[in-house]
């Protein structure tokens, strides 16, 4: 079959004919025709040879790229009752180690051994291929109203997981407002890319007051989304005076230099969510900052990956936002390219 492949550690991606051994489907297995696959920073890191954890499956010298998949069911095994031919599905990315309790109960996003695999990233072929076979338990059925917008489900699932973690952690104190809502709580989001937009939309849907930060004015799409959804966009290139005191700060940039100056804006019993990841930068954390974390009961939450439940939550939010905000979700898909254009599309993004 044709697939977009990479050789982890080397720069580049090719659209090639490859042989991938897949037996006839049986039992709980499902055959899927790939419709759409998203591209994100992880893919760019792999294609540029910069992610040392990327690896092919055992027995292969290449890795099929792509973890943000959307496909259509072509055939189901004789024990599959949850799906039928023609259904749209989104595959879960991470597959558990099968050893730790978290993985055994479907929370492979909290794997304790680190021996998991991830489609299109480490140890498992991804979804940038004509078709693939998967176990039904790793497939999330898509509401029919969403159609191809469901390709956004995988990145959103990670936001759902981080939001759920925040709400769980903040139960350490009485954190609701006097009217039982979150309307008195301020959230500051660092960055304005798609993940940051999803965080903003999620917090706004739960009635938080949202401020998004970047070191520039919003572009046309960012302006449209902030106006339509109803959150504030602040250009902090000239300072932090317009940034409100915050109950939550979400860093999607991965740069310590972005979130460290904002620690002084955190209110008592607040939380800092670290979501973005990059390498190379160094910034100073002082003892005064640590003192504030201690004296103000600040929680620091690192979050990665998502469970099947988070995918289902994300699809529900996507349906809500499609009905509420019209074509806002469609505007978040910046470009559609053919499989053979993947290499140039990824490298062009990396340069931008």
């Amino acid at each position: 079959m044709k697939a977009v492949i990479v050789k982890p550690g080397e720069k580049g991606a090719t659209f090639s004919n490859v042989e991938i051994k897949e037996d006839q489907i049986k039992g709980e297995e499902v055959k899927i025709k790939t419709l759409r696959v998203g591209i994100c920073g992880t893919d760019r890191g792999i294609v540029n040879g910069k992610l040392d954890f990327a690896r092919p499956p055992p027995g292969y010298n290449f890795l099929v790229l792509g973890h943000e998949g959307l496909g259509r069911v072509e055939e189901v095994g004789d024990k599959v009752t949850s799906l039928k031919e023609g259904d749209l599905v989104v595959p879960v990315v991470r597959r558990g180690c099968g050893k730790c309790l978290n993985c055994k109960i479907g929370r492979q996003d909290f794997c304790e051994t680190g021996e998991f695999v991830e489609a299109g990233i480490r140890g498992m072929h991804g979804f940038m291929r004509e078709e693939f076979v998967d176990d039904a338990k790793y497939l999330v059925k898509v509401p029919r109203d969403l159609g191809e917008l469901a390709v956004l489900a995988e990145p959103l699932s990670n936001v759902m997981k981080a939001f759920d973690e925040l709400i769980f952690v903040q139960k350490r104190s009485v954190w609701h407002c006097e009217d039982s809502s979150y309307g008195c709580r301020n959230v500051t989001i660092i960055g304005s890319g798609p993940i940051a937009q999803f965080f903003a939309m999620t917090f706004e849907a739960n009635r938080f007051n949202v401020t998004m930060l970047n070191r520039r004015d919003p572009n046309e799409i960012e302006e449209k989304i902030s106006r339509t959804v109803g959150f504030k966009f602040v250009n902090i290139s000239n300072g932090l005076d317009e940034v409100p005191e915050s109950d939550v700060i979400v860093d999607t940039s991965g740069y310590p230099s972005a979130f460290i100056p904002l620690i002084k804006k955190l209110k008592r019993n607040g939380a800092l969510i670290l979501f973005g990841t990059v390498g190379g930068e160094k910034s100073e954390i002082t003892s005064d900052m640590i003192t504030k974390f201690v004296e103000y009961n600040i929680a620091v939450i690192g979050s990665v990956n998502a469970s099947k439940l988070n995918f289902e939550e994300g699809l529900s939010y996507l349906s809500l936002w499609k009905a509420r905000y019209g074509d806002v979700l469609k505007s978040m898909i910046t470009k559609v390219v053919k499989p053979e254009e993947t290499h140039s599309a990824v490298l062009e993004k990396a340069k931008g």
Side-chain angles (χ1 to χ4, degrees):
M1 71 174 73
K2 290 184 177 180
V4 176
I5 65 170
V6 295
K7 292 190 176 181
E10 299 180 14
K11 187 173 182 178
T14 59
F15 184 52
S16 310
N17 283 308
V18 296
E19 290 188 12
I20 299 174
K21 183 180 179 181
E22 287 181 338
D23 298 326
Q24 292 287 338
I25 67 166
K26 57 185 181 299
E28 297 288 345
E29 293 180 329
V30 180
K31 184 177 181 180
I32 308 297
K33 178 179 176 58
T34 302
L35 299 178
R36 289 284 187 268
V37 184
I39 295 174
C40 75
T42 300
D43 301 299
R44 293 194 293 273
I46 294 172
V47 172
N48 282 276
K50 294 182 178 180
L51 296 187
D52 57 8
F53 56 74
R55 66 178 189 272
Y60 292 87
N61 66 354
F62 64 88
L63 171 71
V64 177
L65 195 64
H67 61 279
E68 299 181 10
L70 171 66
R72 182 176 62 240
V73 173
E74 298 284 283
E75 186 180 349
V76 299
D78 57 11
K79 293 184 179 180
V80 177
T81 59
S82 58
L83 297 168
K84 64 182 185 302
E85 184 179 335
D87 284 342
L88 296 183
V89 293
V90 173
V92 173
V93 176
R94 181 178 288 189
R95 314 300 167 90
C97 67
K99 299 176 182 179
C100 72
L101 183 57
N102 281 323
C103 287
K104 289 179 179 179
I105 63 170
R107 292 312 306 259
Q108 59 272 7
D109 51 317
F110 286 110
C111 179
E112 296 176 38
T113 68
E115 297 175 16
F116 54 82
V117 298
E118 292 176 315
I121 302 173
R122 48 184 130 199
M124 177 181 169
H125 286 312
F127 311 120
M128 286 189 183
R129 43 178 160 155
E130 294 178 283
E131 60 186 27
F132 60 95
V133 174
D134 211 342
D135 192 305
K137 70 180 179 181
Y138 295 122
L139 300 172
V140 187
K141 187 176 179 179
V142 173
R144 290 207 169 269
D145 65 303
L146 277 180
E148 293 186 351
L149 288 174
V151 74
L152 298 169
E154 193 282 331
L156 179 56
S157 71
N158 295 275
V159 174
M160 295 287 102
K161 188 256 186 86
F163 182 80
D164 287 351
E165 285 187 280
L166 170 71
I167 299 303
F168 180 83
V169 169
Q170 291 303 86
K171 288 180 180 179
R172 62 197 171 128
S173 67
V174 178
W175 207 53
H176 284 91
C177 310
E178 289 185 357
D179 63 359
S180 78
S181 75
Y182 293 114
C184 64
R185 299 298 180 187
N186 296 333
V187 178
T188 297
I189 299 169
I190 303 170
S192 58
I195 288 292
Q197 300 287 356
F198 278 143
F199 268 112
M201 294 168 75
T202 300
F203 278 107
E204 194 284 331
N206 288 276
R207 299 298 179 255
F208 288 78
N209 304 303
V210 180
T211 302
M212 179 174 286
L213 310 182
N214 208 322
R215 292 191 177 96
R216 56 168 174 75
D217 290 330
N219 61 35
E220 184 178 348
I221 293 175
E222 293 164 347
E223 171 65 27
K224 174 183 177 180
I225 294 174
S226 63
R227 183 180 65 253
T228 303
V229 176
F231 57 86
K232 185 178 181 181
F233 193 109
V234 175
N235 180 343
I236 58 170
S237 59
N238 294 319
L240 304 177
D241 291 346
E242 292 187 59
V243 180
E245 289 193 333
S246 303
D247 299 282
V248 183
I249 292 175
V250 181
D251 176 57
T252 70
S253 74
Y255 290 98
S257 61
F259 70 80
I260 286 177
L262 287 162
I263 290 174
K264 62 185 179 183
K265 294 285 186 176
L266 269 172
K267 297 165 69 174
R268 293 184 182 273
N269 306 321
L272 170 64
I273 299 177
L274 302 179
F275 190 89
T277 57
V278 296
E281 188 185 81
K282 295 181 180 180
S283 294
E284 183 181 43
I285 296 179
T286 67
S287 58
D288 288 339
M289 294 177 193
I290 300 301
T291 297
K292 175 162 185 175
F293 277 89
V294 174
E295 295 295 327
Y296 276 53
N297 287 315
I298 302 299
V300 180
I301 304 170
S303 185
V304 68
N305 203 257
S307 68
K308 187 173 182 178
L309 174 62
N310 301 132
F311 277 79
E312 292 173 343
E313 291 172 337
L315 288 168
S316 295
Y317 272 85
L318 288 173
S319 292
L320 168 68
W321 294 333
K322 181 183 178 184
R324 181 178 292 178
Y325 302 132
D327 64 350
V328 161
L329 292 176
K330 188 175 181 180
S331 69
M332 295 179 72
I333 301 175
T334 55
K335 188 177 182 181
V336 178
V337 300
K338 298 177 181 178
E340 57 267 29
E341 298 171 330
T342 301
H343 173 82
S344 59
V346 172
L347 294 182
E348 285 171 8
K349 181 66 177 179
K351 295 175 183 177

